[in-house]
């Protein structure tokens, strides 16, 4: 059974540990998204695999005209729409077309970086882990938190954090970098 106090592994690693092409791809993704380690890539890949297998199962069941499959299809597509992974008029085939970058772009770390709240994706991770970011009025300190469509525009600095001040050294660096770009 397993110990209830220990969390079960939520990912499956690569089939072969030393494939140079895969290692190179993972290195590039890790650098682009500022991930801590490759385990985060494997977790996202496993989540995509899970979504793909669920979509394939629902496509098979839809062919058998199963009413439960239609209900589950609507629920899956609604969930993925709320997460911002597919559009409102998406089909199960669109779920099969999802890529790793689609899932990684919905992480809190990536959204904080792309919204311009920090200079680098590593800095975004640091702000989040240290409790400097609020999402929808709640402190979230998990960089891999998947941000909903509704929450996307309610990401702010922690009001009690020193990061909230424009005079904070890290925020001042951002302002100086913008001024340097504007001068060019």
């Amino acid at each position: 059974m397993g110990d209830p106090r220990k969390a079960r592994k939520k990912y499956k690693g690569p089939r072969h540990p030393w494939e140079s092409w895969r290692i190179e791809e993972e290195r590039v993704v890790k650098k682009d998204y500022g991930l801590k380690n490759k385990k985060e890539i494997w977790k996202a890949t496993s989540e995509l695999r899970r979504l793909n297998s669920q979509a394939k199962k629902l496509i098979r069941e839809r062919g058998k005209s199963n009413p439960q499959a239609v209900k589950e299809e609507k629920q899956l597509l609604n969930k993925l729409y709320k997460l911002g992974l597919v559009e409102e008029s998406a089909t199960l085939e669109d779920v099969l077309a999802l890529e790793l970058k689609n899932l990684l772009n919905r992480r809190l770390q990536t959204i904080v970086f792309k919204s311009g709240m920090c200079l680098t994706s590593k800095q975004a991770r640091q702000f989040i882990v240290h409790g400097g970011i609020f999402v929808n009025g709640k402190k979230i300190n998990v960089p891999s938190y998947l941000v909903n469509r509704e929450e996307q525009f309610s990401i702010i600095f922690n009001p009690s954090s020193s990061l909230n001040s424009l005079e904070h050294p890290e925020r001042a660096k951002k302002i100086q970098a913008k001024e340097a770009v504007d001068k060019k």
Side-chain angles (χ1 to χ4, degrees), residues 29-89:
V29 170
K30 182 180 164 201
K31 184 176 183 241
D32 288 347
Y33 289 95
L35 304 176
K36 179 182 173 188
N37 52 33
K38 292 182 180 180
K39 188 191 297 186
E40 293 184 334
I41 297 171
W42 300 339
K43 284 181 182 178
T45 305
S46 293
E47 180 64 19
L48 276 178
R49 260 191 241 123
R50 189 188 65 75
L51 291 173
N52 279 341
S53 67
Q54 188 174 4
K56 288 175 186 176
K57 183 188 88 160
L58 291 173
I59 289 172
R60 282 192 305 269
E61 293 296 319
R62 184 177 57 188
K64 299 175 186 176
S65 65
N66 186 347
Q68 180 65 27
V70 174
K71 186 177 178 182
E72 288 181 22
E73 176 182 350
K74 288 179 185 174
Q75 289 174 343
L76 176 66
L77 292 175
N78 190 28
K79 175 186 171 186
L80 294 177
Y81 172 73
K82 285 183 180 178
L83 279 175
L85 293 173
V86 295
E87 295 303 318
E88 197 167 15
S89 61

Side-chain angles (χ1 to χ4, degrees), residues 96-107:
L96 295 176
L98 286 176
E99 296 177 356
L100 179 65
K101 66 178 183 160
N102 299 116
L103 197 59
L104 293 177
N105 283 333
R106 297 306 303 171
R107 288 169 45 105

